[in-house]
Amino acid sequence: MNKLLRTGIAEILLLLLSVSAYAVTPDLIQHTIHRFSGIWKQAPQEKVYLHTDKPFYYSAGEDIWFRAHIVNATTHKPDTRSQFVYVELIDKSDSVITRVKIKRNGSGASGKITLSPEIAPGEYILRSYTYWMQNVADDFFFHKKIHIGNMIDDRVRISTSFGTPENGKIPLTITFKNTFSMPLSGKTVEIRHHYIPKNRKTTNLMTNKQGEIHLQIESDTVPDAKRLLEITLNEPGLSFNRKIQIPDLRSDYDVQFFPESGVFLDNQIQTIAFKAIGSDGLSVNVSGKIYNQQHQEICELNTLNKGMGKIIMHTYPEENYYAVVQTENGLQKKFDLPATSATGVSMKLKTVKGKVFFQVLNQSHLDIKGLFMLVHSRGMVYLLTPLTESEGFLSENMLPSGINTFSIIDSTGNTWCERIGFIRNNNFPVITMESDKLKYGKREPVELHFKLLTQDTIPAKGNFSVSVTDNLLVKNDSINNDILSYLLLSSDLKGYIEEPQQYFRDNSWLTLEKTDLLMLTQGWRRFNTREIIKGIYPRTNYYLEVGQAISGRVLNLFNKPAKNAEVIFFSNYKNQINTAKTDSTGLFLIDGIQFPDSTQIILKAKSRSKIVDVELIPDKDVFPAYKSVIPFNHDDKTVVPDDYLNLSKERYYNEGGMLVINLDEFTVKGETKKTEAGYYYSGAADNSIDSKKLESFGSQSVLDVIRTFPGVQVSGESISIRGASGNPLFLIDGIETEEIEDLQFLNATDIEEISLFKGASASLFGSRGGNGVIAITLKQGAILQSITPPSLVRYTPLGYQQPVEFYVPKYDVDSIRSQSKPDLRTTIYWTPEAKTDEDGNIWLKFYTADKPNDYRVELEGVSENGEICKFQGILKRD
């Protein structure tokens, strides 16, 4: 870990004061340090990195296992306060297919998303964030592209082929084949054009002998938003529905130019970088020439990597420049370069052999000694020193790994120019792995030992996630981020970065040059120096989610806030009951509660009037919208290998997966069977009335039913059991209440069973059952009738996912080891909780599967001190 990272604010302050004989004014130091420390105090930012069990592709019917590593955006320490993380699976139409909320356990949170057997194959996005992270921008949420294949229900397979746009139309061929790759001919296909705003067009076509249909899509009607075709095939025994995206097939592109440090001075030799992006959002390789306003050639330009390149040119006063650029397919366009300026400050930066060389080009009214160099990384100041010369260098060892921002400011805090650079202090922990054997056979135990030590040989303690996957069937991921590239690079920049791992492969000249081009072409980053120095921080419109709460408002008869109204909270999770009062604006908040996913909640507002009721309106869950930040591929082809999908299909059925068969329409007759209540008091009642007997009551109220119990009297709003001194305890689906008005909205048709407990049987409920108990079990999926009062709301908000453990078979007994059922795991082992001991050791044990392929072992996470840890290794199989 970098030593400067461990210094406190006071130590940094002393360092800054003693940098030079030309001392920085204390006011500037205090002002700058105060502003930057305000990030930590007023708006501490968070990062979430999602480690998944498989790198980037899955099959329908599988589980996506993940661990969310939650860290402080500045220090990368796992000490942030958010206790919940949201994980979403998003399709090409920007629709959220699945959303789960997971609860933090120590340094991270873990869970899974189960993929439906019917999920459409194609590209998807995994997005993850905390509620607090919305205060910055969704650009800094975690995003990961994954591919999902589906051979579980493969009776209809389609492939799409888009032709070259001509005369304003895009030719499209869709081919339909069956499980055996034979054409599905003579089938009627319905096509709905979702991209037409009004009166969405529907077309019916029949497949030809080759199983094809041909369309002509009017490209002029295709907006820049999502362009979707919905394909439906619905014939006896064969049903299919899929949405496909119409790609942007325009060959158009744009080129942007970025002067180094953002200022393009005239009469100087300067570097200007450029980036070419196609209409699909992906990089384009270009070449071309730069001309002055007299159309004289100045220099040539060529992309070096992912549409990026740079040129070095001499600028002259009152001279304008333009570029003539062409793509590899010959499309030529003209672009103007930014206008030069006669005044200002610019900066050149170059890293060579552990030293960061800088040169300041000063064409301002200030002397060079009136300017200062400010260097910060992720919002933490590492250097603030006056400039005595226009050139100099810094040692890389002074700075942390990752993006560092170099700014030239003056004594009043004005920022003249800024340049970001990437520092490679590769002082990451050293991780070693040892296994108990050199090679492993079928269904054998594996014992792994990891040792994590810092560069100073100090144990790197922490809680990590480990995955073990089939190295042949599960390919490695070179497209998305790993934890290193995400925390040090992508998470601090705005916009899509193609293949971010390439910038960490080695320290060769080419890799360094590619990385610097990326730095030169990034105009937006997480920490804005100008705004921070002015004390402008992200607005905190979203709260820090350290617990769960239910909120809402209560309105009176005149639709005005009901002040000081009592709100009662019921939950079937641990039978929680809580109360709150509304404030002067009719708002209420119930906190200090817990509710996992699928928890049913009842809210009841009590009116002070016996005649007029109130209306309770709970706040709905609101989630950030999604707009594509990662470009998708042009076609609908999946990159998931067929051998992987076939194996996943076999495993799905071997483990009891449902086989989907479409049958012709028929009628099923039967009678409803009683549902078992499943509550702890079930079967212990003195008297019960089941659903069969309840049918005779028709739509009578529940009070009419209760008065038929022996020894029970119902009089107006009072219910009493003979021998009791007060009202009995009522339970509705296990939720306790003593208020008779909570029953008045129920009819006999809503109820599965009513049970009466009195005397000895009521002792099951302790002192609460002293006056007897009446338990009501509602019908499964019953819809409350319109007589439900507006003061009562029953709903199921998004709760946190209950912890689920990854299943690992244990072949420690011969009878189990010799079972004929095949073990077809592709994720051999997954743990989101691999915790080191005091000496930095981790021990893991699992069993191999049946396929004799080698295994890839991956460990990711951050230590308690914020050190990024990543390891990949191979286990050999016989």
Side-chain angles (χ1 to χ4, degrees), residues 656-805:
M658 184 179 295
L659 180 63
V660 180
I661 301 176
N662 286 317
L663 303 175
D664 294 338
E665 183 177 324
F666 60 92
T667 303
V668 176
K669 294 183 178 181
E671 62 179 32
T672 305
K673 293 185 177 181
K674 178 181 176 181
T675 303
E676 295 295 330
Y679 297 109
Y680 66 92
Y681 48 76
S682 299
D686 293 291
N687 302 91
S688 293
I689 301 176
D690 61 18
S691 58
K692 192 81 172 175
K693 296 177 182 177
L694 284 167
E695 290 178 1
S696 63
F697 289 89
S699 59
Q700 295 183 59
S701 74
V702 69
L703 299 182
D704 293 325
V705 179
I706 290 174
R707 63 165 41 99
T708 65
F709 279 126
V712 177
Q713 292 183 343
V714 179
S715 177
E717 294 186 356
S718 174
I719 298 179
S720 62
I721 299 175
R722 187 182 303 144
S725 59
N727 287 341
L729 173 70
F730 302 107
L731 290 102
I732 303 175
D733 279 354
I735 299 175
E736 299 180 5
T737 177
E738 294 180 355
E739 303 295 334
I740 188 174
E741 61 186 65
D742 293 329
L743 311 182
Q744 291 175 344
F745 65 91
L746 289 173
N747 288 334
T749 54
D750 297 320
I751 299 168
E752 179 71 30
E753 184 178 60
I754 303 181
S755 301
L756 172 67
F757 301 81
K758 56 184 180 179
S761 65
S763 63
L764 180 65
F765 304 89
S767 60
R768 297 169 297 153
N771 293 317
V773 178
I774 296 175
I776 299 173
T777 302
L778 299 178
K779 289 181 178 178
Q780 186 175 6
I783 300 176
L784 302 182
Q785 303 302 314
S786 59
I787 62 171
T788 300
S791 58
L792 187 140
V793 174
R794 187 179 192 141
Y795 75 121
T796 304
L798 180 66
Y800 62 86
Q801 188 179 82
Q802 295 272 37
V804 184
E805 188 173 348

Side-chain angles (χ1 to χ4, degrees), residues 543-557:
Y543 57 81
L544 197 61
E545 196 173 14
V546 297
Q548 289 178 286
I550 295 292
S551 61
R553 56 191 173 127
V554 179
L555 303 176
N556 61 22
L557 176 65

Side-chain angles (χ1 to χ4, degrees), residues 533-603:
I533 292 178
K534 293 177 181 178
I536 302 173
Y537 307 120
R539 297 180 62 181
T540 53
N541 297 320
Y542 301 90
Y543 57 81
L544 197 61
E545 196 173 14
V546 297
Q548 289 178 286
I550 295 292
S551 61
R553 56 191 173 127
V554 179
L555 303 176
N556 61 22
L557 176 65
F558 304 102
N559 208 33
K560 300 294 184 181
K563 304 175 184 178
N564 205 34
E566 184 178 15
V567 178
I568 305 174
F569 164 90
F570 306 91
S571 165
N572 64 352
Y573 177 68
K574 297 184 178 180
N575 294 332
Q576 296 175 93
I577 301 178
N578 212 331
T579 61
K581 294 275 190 180
T582 59
D583 61 16
S584 60
T585 60
L587 302 179
F588 69 87
L589 175 69
I590 300 173
D591 55 9
I593 56 177
Q594 293 186 61
F595 51 93
D597 200 23
S598 302
T599 298
Q600 196 171 69
I601 288 173
I602 296 177
L603 294 174

